[in-house]
Structure formats: C-alpha cells, structure tokens
Amino acid sequence: EFDPYFNYRATEYLYQHGSQKFFAWFDDQVWYPLGRPVGTTIYPGMQFTAVYIKEYLFKDMSINDICVYIPAWFGALQTATIGLLAYECSLPQSTGLTVFTLVSDAFKGRRTDVPAPPSTWRNFFLGVPGPALEVGVVATMIAAVLPASLMRSMAGAYDNEAVAVFAMCLSFYFWCRSLRAGGGVVAAGLFGALSGLAYFYLVATWGGYIFALNLVGLHAAALVVMGRFTTQVYVAYSLFYAVGTALAVQVPVVGWTPLKSLEQIAPCGVFLAYQLLQYCEVKRKEQNMSRETAWKLRKTVFLGAAAAGVVVVVLIAPSGYFGPLSSRVRGLFVPHTRTGNPLVDSVAEHQKTQNRVYFQYLYHLCTLAPVGFVTVMFHLGDAPSFLLVYGAAAYYFSAKMNRLVLLTGPIGAVLGGILIGRVFSWSVGQIWSLLFGGGGGGDDADKAEAEAAATGGKQKGGGGGKRKKGRRGADVSKTSFSGFVALRDSIQSAGSSPGGLTAKRTLSAVGLLFIYQFSTGLDRMSREVSRGLSSPQVVFKGRRGNEEFIVDDYLDAYKWVKNNTPEDSRILSWWDYGYQINGVANRTTLADGNTWNHEHIALLGKILTGNIDASYAIARHLADYVLVWAGGGGDDVAKSPHLARIANSVYRDHCPDDPTCQMFGRDRNGNPTKMMQDSLLYNLHSYQIRPDAQVDPEKFREVYKSKFGKVRIYEIVNVAKESKEWVADPANKLCDVPGSWYCPGQYPPALKGVLERKKDFAQLEDFNRGKGDDEYQKQYFEGLENPRKVQRKQKEQIGSVLSSAAAAVEGREKPDRDAGSDQFVAPKSTIPSGDGDGADESKPKMNLPNKDNEQSTPIQPRPKPTQEEIDDVYNRWENSEFATLTWQMIKDGEVEKLENWYKIEPLAPFVRSEDGRGPMWWAFENKNQAIVKLLINQGVSHDDADKHGKVPADLLPSD
C-alpha cells in the first residue's frame, strides 16, 4: 500500500502543529511545482482519531505505534457493530412479516403491524427472544475472520477504510435501531440522530460516505413504496439527514457538496419528500380523510412541489450550481467496464471484479449470503428490509469495481450470520426437544410467527382486537395467502409424526455438521489470506527454489535517496510511488496517489512515455532525479501503456488519432513498438539489459540500482537551475491574497511551449457543463473494447494514404516511363543544391530528383529499407541536398511531389539537417497537417528533439 505513508505523514503534522495549522497546510513538497493544500483536500477523520487517542487514551504510546494499531482496533469495533446489526435485524418484533405480506399490503393500501414475539425455549435458555442472539454471535464470528474484513483491518494498514467501515456499520446499526417496531418516536429520534452523528464521522474519514448516504436514502424511499411510512420512520430519517448533513458540510473537503453534487442530491430529495408526506399525514389525521381524499391531497402537494422544484432547477442550473458526477461514480452505471477516464481506468482496483475475487474474500458466503438474503424476505420488517437494499446495492457496485468488494464484507457477514444462526438455533431446538421432551417450542414459535404474518399481524386469542368483517361478512384475516398457511400446517403435521421427528433430528445433525465444516474452512482461508495481507509491499519475501529471502529493494532505494541526494532534490517517478518517496525519503515529488490534477499527471505520462530526447528537454526543468520501478512483474514498463493513454488524453499529439495509444506497447513476440522503444521510460528501465535500450550519459547518469534490480535511479544531467530557482521564488507563487497560506506554484516559463499544446481533459461527467469531448470518448471506448478493429482501421488509413500516393504517381505528377520499362522517372526540380561532396560510400545512397536538365532520368524505386538503414539516415545530421530539397518542397506545400518522391525513395522522409531538424519539424513549422500525416504514415516520429531539445510541435507558430 502507498496511502498509509501519506496518512501517517499527515497525522504527524497534525500532532506536531495542531488543527489550525493543519487546515492551513500548503505542502510544496508534493505535486511539484504546483503543491497541494493538504488540510482542505483530505478526509481528516482518521488523523484526528489517532491524535485524540494519543492525547487522551494512550499518552505513553508513540504516534507511530498508534497509527499501526488503529486498523486492528477499529477492525474489532467493526466486527462488534456488524454483530449488533445482525442482532437488530433478527429480533422477533422486527421480523414478523414476509415479502408476501408487504406485497399484499401495497395492493390493499394498508399497513400490517409486526406481531408480538411468541414465547420459546430460547427465552428460557438464553434470556433473549428469538434466534437474534445466535444470529448476532455467528455474524460477529464471521466478520472477525472474513478476508473481506481483514483486507482493511490488518495492523499497519493505516488507510481511511480501516476506520470508515466501522463508522459506516455504526451508522447502519443506529438507522436500523431507530426503526425497531414499537420503539416510539422518541427512540426513533434519538437513534436517528446517532445515525447522523456516525454518518458525520464517516464523512470526515472517507469519500465513500456517498454510498452510505444514498443507501439510507434509498431505503427510506423504499419504506414509502412498501407502505411503511409512519411518524416514527419520518422522525428517524429526518434527524439522520438533518444532523448528518449539518455536520458533514463542516468538513472542508466536503463543503456544500451534499446539497450540490448530483451524486448526493437524491437523499436530499427524499428528505424533502418526507416533509411533504408528513404534512399530508398530519392533515389526513386532523381532518379524518378517506383514503381517496388523502391521495388527492398528496397528489396536489407533490405536483405543486415538483413544479416549484423545476423552476428552481431551471434558474440555478445554468450557473453551474450542481456539481458533476465523478468518473468513478459514473463508471458504476455504464454498460462497459471503463469510465472514459484513462487515469481512473489505469487503477487495478477500478477494474471489473472477477468471480474468483468474491471467493477469495468471501469464501462460501458467496453461496450462503444469497440464501440468507432469501431468508430475510420471509422474516421481514422495517429494519430487515434495509439488509435487502444493502445486499442488492453492494453486489451491484462490487461487481462493477474491484475495490468495492470491501462493501460486501459487512452485509455478507450479516446475511451469512442470519442463515447459519437460524440453522443453528433450529438445530439446537430439535436437540433440546429430544433431550428434554416436547417443551422445545421451536416449532410452535415458528408456527405462531408465520400464522401471525399470514393473518395480518393479529394473534390468536386476543391482542389483535376485533376482526373486521367485509361487505359479505368474510373474515379479513383470511388473506390470499391462507393457502400457504394450510400447506405449512400439513407439513408441520407430518413433521410431528415419529418419522417426521426422526427426519428433523437428522437434518439438525446435518445442519450442525455443515456449520462445523464451514467454520473450519473459513478459518483456514482467513489464515492463508491474512499471511498475504500481513506482508507490506515495500518489503516482502521472495523465493528461489527452496531458498527464502527478503526483498527490500524499494525501501533501500528510498533510503538511498534520503541519504545521498540534496534535501531540495525533486524526484520524478510515476504517481503511484509519490507517497512512499515523500514519506520515507522526505523528498519532493511530482505527483502521488491523490491524483487531483489530471493534466499534471498527463504531463508526467508524456515525459515518461515520450521520446527520450524530447522528454529530457522537459524533465530537466522539473526534476533532479528519475526513479523507475524495474525488474519485471508490475514494473513501470508493464504499466506504461496506461501512462501513454493518460498523456494522450491531454496532449493529443502524443498518439495522434489514437486515444488508446495502440502504437505504444509490445507486439505478439514481446518486442516493443518503435514508440515504446524510443521512450524515456523504456530506455531507463531496460538500459544495459536489452540491446535496443540506450541512454545518453550526457543527459542521464545512473546513480543507483537495487540489489534485485527492482529500482533504478538516474540523475538528470545539466538540470535547468534557472527553472528551479524561478519556481522557488515566492514572487512567482499564485497566492489568493497577499500573505495567504494558499499559494500554489507555477510551471517554469521554459515549459510554456509544451503547456500550450495541452487540452484540458473533458471527462464524460462534464456533460452538464457543456465540456464533452464526444469524438475522443468514442474512439477511446472503441479502442478498449475492440483493439483489433482499431488496428485494422489504422492499417486501412495507411493503405488509403499509400493508395493516394500511388494515384498521384499514376497521375499528373507521375514520372514518365520508358516504353516497355518499369522504371520510374524522377520529377523535374528547381530546388537549390546543397553540398553533396564527401559522402560516405558505405552509407545508403538515396535517389535524388534530377535538376540538371529538363529531361527526366529513369530511377529504379528502392526496395523497402531495413530499420538499420533508416536509423543510419535518421541519425546522420548534416546539411545535404536532400535536406535542402525536402525543406523547399515542404515550404511550398508540394504534398503530391513529396508523395511521389517517397514512393521512389522511402529513406527521404528521414533526412535531417545539421541542427537535428528534418521534414517533421518543417511540416509543423509550416502548419501543414497533410504533410505531418504523410510523414507519420511513413514512420517518422513526431516526439524526437533537435539539438536544442525542441520537438516538432515546438515550432508551431504562436498565432
């Protein structure tokens, strides 16, 4: 993990400087040269928790040790809270209904009360009604060892989710507790407010609070649809939302987004709808309205409110009041597995979840939890219905994004606990009746509960009042589900026979054996997973044959940076490692896991995946060292196609007309494409390992290589000191007001030409701001979903260009042919001559158009040159007649003549003059897109730099 290093650094800063300076902390050691206002861009709940524990609970412990233990401590609290949630949703007074009852009520417009819990053997033996205690205990035991819970609760995994999942479960528990049948309005208000308080703690800790907010809002809406809206439910949700939102807006990183963001506006709508519903209910009771009149009132009130809402939205939406959906959230609702943002798509945790991941983290709960879900449907109530909403939402979202498997842990443990707890309770009940005679009462209890649910919640023999008669005197208690009651009675009658009792006792033994097998299997699985989770990424075990050893390359590399580089050194690396470099080596980094600035990361990707010479020209203005992860596996070269895509999302000339950068990668044999082979990252990664990787010692000097080759560090030679000093000058900071703490930095002026070519990334979620980039997104998705189709299209485009060239050769500009000859004749030319004397006879000789007479001279077209021949011409910088000829033709815009010439002489596009410039530079200088495309199709790079470090795009006229 990378995040714990930043989280600890932030906690240390808070502990040493206090909260006031923490919220005014602008860190210029990160995101160089821009910096980051940490205090206002962080969810600080975990940091404040650690400092509170240090100052008030464990004063003798170091802040480091507290941060190490917090995940384990809160993992234990999370486990207990999951048990309480399972217990609350299994109490008899909360589970006396079924899904059939709710459907019947919805159609008949009535509300069935949950029946009082019957007396059973459990009351006598355990002192707790129903199987709730067994369910709670089993759910707690499952949560304690479930890999999905362990993944964020291992000591040392100091990440936000370690605290946030506990806060989320606590908020869910209080929400369900506020809905307990018979609890009353006062209890509903108390626990609703506590749920809002726990929600605030979640908001302060983790950006995933949006899931919890929408889940409770969705359940509140579902209760209305199910006909379960009451004053108790109204008070519970109103206080949850009011208290939670009032506190949430106090968190700087959140601000007013709960009332502005499209991701959070739905729960606000539910809150407003609850106020209207309660108003209608009060009026209905005051005026003793009939059902039909009450519905008319609701229709009038809601239509009026909807009209007013539309007017408000129309007035404020154009001002940009409503915030957009984030790419991560939007990606959860689209049919494909990508978000449209290559930065988000590059993160492994954001990929679609594979089935094996569920088994790895949930074990056999993958099978048991769905059965538990169905079980809840037949032991239903206001609180248990929340489990159905949670279960469906968690499964849907976790299937869309790998990291959201974390959300399935609590609900998986609860549903598994409900199933296993009820099986255990029933099995023990059968054994109890066998040992102590017929006083078990388990079957009687089940019968009483089911019968009460089937008869509209009325108990036999009183407690339910008089039964009302219908128009024909029919008993209302005889519902359309009475047939199920008769079927159940016949089954129970058969079960009471001697053979039936034997069968039930046999099943109880099988049930207990199954529970034992499940328990031992889960224990074994959790131990295996915990061993893997216990190993940090920065130091891990390796194995060679029977030999086991410690691989500490990453830690040693960071220590080397700390001990062997100046304190003001700037380290260029991919953003993944920024937290570790900053936290361990205490050096300035260009980016880290916060990923708040897409355009800055794209510049970083452009440097790493661009031509090594062009990248050097940029990097020397931003960094002193380059750190590369090597050694195979998930190293930087393996990640580099993602880096190229991110770069191209902002710098569209990086991979022209190819948002997925198909030209950057490896072929089927594992060989790099030309673009990858020329890149800075590939050459620094593979230098002295692969023969095609070269590093100019006058630009990069390797200063460190780790023991196992996992990390390589290069010093950038001839760093631009003037740029470094310019960035460090306080006069060049962009403070919001003089003397303010908020003072972002700026890029040095030397990079102006590069930055002018960027196009700020317009994400799909910007649709409501009119910033879409439909064509780019279309090509991006097409490239990801069907890369072969894109490759075919590129080949067709190249073929089209070649066909155009052939047509030009066949047309007016085509050289004459001698009768009966297949030889081409070079076009006439009036190009000024260059100095062609002294040519090396060992070098390839190129065909030059005849310029000495008006007659054409037949020339045999050159066969397709080898890569060595191309490299020889391309790397031979000299003022020649070929360079002069090419410059003049490009200046005059003679595209067809160039096409003809390149057909005859395929080496001509690669000539370069003494200053390192060639056709691509001159085409950009003259803003001739047709020639640029022609040269790209000929295989000429647009990322290389001349001897001054300028790439072709740098020559674009400013106008």
Side-chain angles (χ1 to χ4, degrees):
E1 279 292 340
F2 303 105
D3 293 359
Y5 293 90
F6 165 75
N7 291 327
Y8 173 72
R9 182 166 175 262
T11 304
E12 197 174 41
Y13 189 95
L14 174 63
Y15 177 64
Q16 293 174 354
H17 298 88
S19 60
Q20 186 173 357
K21 288 188 175 180
F22 177 81
F23 286 117
W25 175 25
F26 194 93
D27 190 359
D28 55 10
Q29 265 197 297
V30 299
W31 290 88
Y32 181 87
L34 307 176
R36 175 191 173 188
V38 177
T40 56
T41 59
I42 186 179
Y43 292 94
M46 184 173 64
Q47 286 76 16
F48 274 86
T49 300
V51 172
Y52 178 88
I53 293 173
K54 166 66 178 174
E55 292 185 346
Y56 296 102
L57 299 180
F58 301 120
K59 297 182 179 181
D60 296 332
M61 289 185 70
S62 69
I63 193 69
N64 179 82
D65 290 349
I66 289 174
C67 292
V68 168
Y69 281 109
I70 273 181
W73 291 339
F74 278 82
L77 293 174
Q78 170 192 328
T79 298
T81 307
I82 289 173
L84 288 174
L85 179 60
Y87 172 83
E88 181 63 38
C89 293
S90 301
L91 289 171
Q93 58 264 47
S94 298
T95 59
L97 306 177
T98 69
V99 66
F100 298 119
T101 309
L102 295 181
V103 171
S104 176
D105 287 353
F107 277 107
K108 296 186 177 182
R110 67 182 185 187
R111 183 180 188 278
T112 299
D113 295 326
V114 178
S119 177
T120 70
W121 68 272
R122 289 176 288 268
N123 300 47
F124 169 76
F125 186 64
L126 299 172
V128 178
L133 182 61
E134 297 95 313
V135 167
V137 170
V138 172
T140 302
M141 295 172 64
I142 292 174
V145 297
L146 191 65
S149 299
L150 296 177
M151 65 189 297
R152 298 295 186 184
S153 60
M154 304 297 290
Y158 187 57
D159 210 349
N160 294 53
E161 291 90 337
V163 175
V165 176
F166 157 70
M168 181 180 71
C169 294
L170 186 64
S171 180
F172 291 164
Y173 165 70
F174 283 134
W175 167 246
C176 290
R177 177 62 183 84
S178 69
L179 302 178
R180 181 186 290 184
V185 174
V186 175
L190 172 63
F191 288 106
L194 289 175
S195 180
L197 192 62
Y199 163 72
F200 160 67
Y201 186 37
L202 172 62
V203 172
T205 306
W206 188 38
Y209 74 88
I210 296 173
F211 173 78
L213 172 63
N214 281 279
L215 194 65
V216 174
L218 179 61
H219 182 232
L223 289 175
V224 175
V225 174
M226 293 188 300
R228 308 297 297 173
F229 179 83
T230 62
T231 300
Q232 178 181 347
V233 173
Y234 162 75
V235 170
Y237 182 74
S238 295
L239 284 175
F240 158 79
Y241 186 82
V243 172
T245 303
L247 294 174
V249 297
Q250 308 304 317
V251 181
V253 70
V254 176
W256 291 102
T257 55
L259 302 177
K260 299 172 68 174
S261 172
L262 294 180
E263 299 166 357
Q264 304 174 54
I265 206 70
C268 179
V270 174
F271 173 77
L272 296 176
Y274 261 47
Q275 311 313 307
L276 299 178
L277 277 173
Q278 184 63 13
Y279 169 79
C280 294
E281 281 298 295
V282 171
K283 287 295 183 181
R284 181 184 68 82
K285 292 178 181 178
E286 285 180 354
Q287 301 178 17
N288 195 24
M289 295 181 182
S290 64
R291 181 186 177 191
E292 183 179 354
T293 305
W295 271 107
K296 288 182 179 179
L297 174 64
R298 291 170 189 157
K299 182 178 179 180
T300 302
V301 169
F302 275 88
L303 285 177
V310 169
V311 171
V312 171
V313 170
V314 169
L315 290 175
I316 66 176
S319 66
Y321 174 85
F322 295 107
L325 295 171
S326 71
S327 57
R328 291 175 177 85
V329 171
R330 185 192 174 280
L332 299 173
F333 296 97
V334 292
H336 43 71
T337 59
R338 305 291 182 171
T339 68
N341 184 333
L343 176 56
V344 175
D345 294 340
S346 70
V347 181
E349 287 185 336
H350 296 158
Q351 306 307 310
K352 183 178 180 180
T353 306
Q354 303 297 320
N355 290 335
R356 59 178 178 78
V357 175
Y358 283 111
F359 186 80
Q360 179 182 355
Y361 289 107
L362 296 176
Y363 189 53
H364 282 301
L365 286 181
C366 298
T367 303
L368 299 181
V371 180
F373 186 92
V374 175
T375 302
V376 171
M377 295 175 68
F378 290 92
H379 297 84
L380 207 53
D382 293 347
S385 62
F386 174 77
L387 300 182
L388 301 183
V389 176
Y390 183 7
Y395 175 73
Y396 174 83
F397 292 123
S398 66
K400 285 283 189 175
M401 189 176 290
N402 213 349
R403 70 177 302 179
L404 296 184
V405 171
L406 173 73
L407 299 175
T408 64
I411 186 62
V414 171
L415 293 177
I418 287 175
L419 175 65
I420 296 176
R422 286 187 174 275
V423 170
F424 177 82
S425 176
W426 181 82
S427 300
V428 171
Q430 299 305 315
I431 296 175
W432 176 277
S433 64
L434 174 65
L435 297 177
F436 301 100
D443 293 335
D444 294 337
D446 293 340
K447 179 178 179 180
E449 291 179 11
E451 189 171 88
T455 57
K458 306 295 187 286
Q459 295 293 311
K460 289 183 178 181
K466 295 181 180 180
R467 295 178 177 175
K468 297 180 181 179
K469 302 286 184 178
R471 276 183 251 176
R472 299 185 181 179
D475 191 340
V476 175
S477 67
K478 293 181 179 179
T479 70
S480 57
F481 299 109
S482 57
F484 289 99
V485 176
L487 177 62
R488 181 213 59 217
D489 290 342
S490 63
I491 294 175
Q492 289 182 343
S493 176
S496 301
S497 65
L501 291 173
T502 302
K504 287 195 293 184
R505 289 160 186 168
T506 302
L507 285 176
S508 66
V510 172
L512 293 175
L513 179 62
F514 162 77
I515 293 172
Y516 172 77
Q517 292 290 344
F518 170 79
S519 302
T520 55
L522 179 59
D523 177 69
R524 182 173 61 255
M525 170 69 87
S526 65
R527 291 180 185 276
E528 292 176 0
V529 172
S530 64
R531 279 193 292 270
L533 294 174
S534 298
S535 299
Q537 289 185 352
V538 75
V539 178
F540 57 91
K541 290 182 179 180
R543 180 178 293 275
R544 185 184 293 115
N546 295 325
E547 178 189 4
E548 191 174 73
F549 51 87
I550 299 296
V551 179
D552 55 359
D553 282 30
Y554 305 116
L555 183 60
D556 281 351
Y558 302 144
K559 288 181 177 179
W560 185 93
V561 171
K562 182 176 183 179
N563 297 325
N564 295 276
T565 63
E567 291 186 0
D568 65 344
S569 295
R570 304 157 299 171
I571 313 299
L572 187 156
S573 71
W574 186 231
W575 62 264
D576 281 344
Y577 327 130
Y579 283 154
Q580 290 183 343
I581 296 171
N582 196 247
V584 180
N586 194 27
R587 292 296 181 267
T588 300
T589 57
L590 271 66
D592 55 42
N594 185 248
T595 64
W596 67 277
N597 191 318
H598 185 106
E599 285 68 32
H600 185 73
I601 290 182
L603 177 61
L604 191 59
K606 177 178 175 63
I607 295 172
L608 292 171
T609 60
N611 174 272
I612 186 169
D613 295 322
S615 296
Y616 168 77
I618 302 173
R620 62 188 293 269
H621 294 285
L622 293 174
D624 302 290
Y625 295 87
V626 182
L627 184 147
V628 177
W629 274 24
D635 63 15
D636 282 349
V637 166
K639 301 172 185 174
S640 60
H642 289 295
L643 279 57
R645 292 170 190 163
I646 295 168
N648 191 67
S649 67
V650 174
Y651 297 91
R652 300 295 171 84
D653 60 344
H654 195 63
C655 302
D657 297 322
D658 181 16
T660 53
C661 287
Q662 301 285 344
M663 63 180 69
F664 189 99
R666 295 181 183 272
D667 60 23
R668 294 180 180 179
N669 299 320
N671 298 315
T673 61
K674 187 177 188 305
M675 185 178 179
M676 175 182 275
Q677 183 179 334
D678 292 341
S679 69
L680 169 69
L681 186 57
Y682 178 81
N683 284 278
L684 298 188
H685 170 280
S686 304
Y687 179 56
Q688 295 181 337
I689 297 175
R690 292 180 61 102
D692 56 353
Q694 301 295 326
V695 174
D696 185 350
E698 295 184 1
K699 296 179 179 178
F700 298 97
R701 181 170 63 89
E702 186 171 21
V703 293
Y704 176 84
K705 185 176 182 180
S706 62
K707 179 180 179 181
F708 296 99
K710 295 289 185 181
V711 182
R712 305 183 75 168
I713 301 174
Y714 293 82
E715 181 182 11
I716 299 176
V717 180
N718 192 26
V719 168
K721 293 182 179 179
E722 66 278 5
S723 292
K724 188 173 184 179
E725 293 170 356
W726 189 92
V727 171
D729 187 350
N732 296 318
K733 303 291 184 181
L734 298 176
C735 300
D736 53 353
V737 293
S740 171
W741 64 272
Y742 184 79
C743 294
Q746 298 186 75
Y747 293 102
L751 297 182
K752 181 180 179 181
V754 175
L755 298 174
E756 285 178 345
R757 301 200 305 274
K758 74 182 179 70
K759 178 179 181 180
D760 288 349
F761 183 61
Q763 307 184 66
L764 283 179
E765 58 268 25
D766 289 330
F767 69 92
N768 57 329
R769 294 184 175 180
K771 296 182 180 179
D773 194 350
D774 295 339
E775 185 59 31
Y776 170 86
Q777 296 290 347
K778 178 182 177 182
Q779 294 179 10
Y780 177 80
F781 285 119
E782 186 179 63
L784 290 178
E785 299 296 333
N786 197 343
R788 292 185 178 181
K789 180 179 179 181
V790 174
Q791 291 168 1
R792 287 196 303 269
K793 184 180 293 186
Q794 291 175 345
K795 290 179 180 179
E796 290 172 359
Q797 290 175 347
I798 294 173
S800 176
V801 172
L802 293 177
S803 298
S804 299
V809 171
E810 293 290 336
R812 178 174 55 84
E813 296 293 337
K814 175 189 168 182
D816 298 333
R817 287 181 185 269
D818 289 344
S821 171
D822 290 333
Q823 290 184 320
F824 286 104
V825 180
K828 292 178 284 189
S829 174
T830 58
I831 305 302
S833 63
D835 185 7
D837 296 335
D840 188 347
E841 295 297 329
S842 65
K843 303 298 182 182
K845 295 180 179 180
M846 293 191 291
N847 297 319
L848 183 68
N850 190 322
K851 60 182 175 55
D852 294 328
N853 54 67
E854 295 296 314
Q855 300 300 320
S856 297
T857 303
I859 300 176
Q860 178 68 39
R862 179 188 298 278
K864 182 178 180 181
T866 65
Q867 188 61 46
E868 290 183 2
E869 290 177 324
I870 292 175
D871 291 342
D872 181 78
V873 172
Y874 197 63
N875 295 324
R876 194 196 323 164
W877 296 4
E878 60 185 9
N879 291 331
S880 65
E881 191 169 5
F882 294 99
T884 305
L885 168 65
T886 304
W887 175 84
Q888 186 66 55
M889 294 177 75
I890 293 175
K891 181 176 181 298
D892 295 340
E894 299 184 25
V895 181
E896 293 184 358
K897 286 186 178 181
L898 283 171
E899 289 178 339
N900 296 338
W901 186 21
Y902 293 166
K903 184 71 174 179
I904 301 165
E905 181 48 80
L907 286 172
F910 299 94
V911 297
R912 296 173 77 174
S913 60
E914 189 177 52
D915 59 2
R917 296 179 182 176
M920 189 65 78
W921 282 260
W922 302 325
F924 270 89
E925 185 177 27
N926 288 277
K927 300 177 68 174
N928 195 314
Q929 295 182 1
I931 296 179
V932 170
K933 186 173 182 180
L934 171 64
L935 292 169
I936 289 175
N937 289 331
Q938 294 291 326
V940 182
S941 172
H942 64 285
D943 283 331
D944 293 341
D946 62 15
K947 75 174 186 178
H948 304 294
K950 292 185 178 295
V951 298
D954 289 333
L955 272 63
L956 279 171
S958 59
D959 57 350

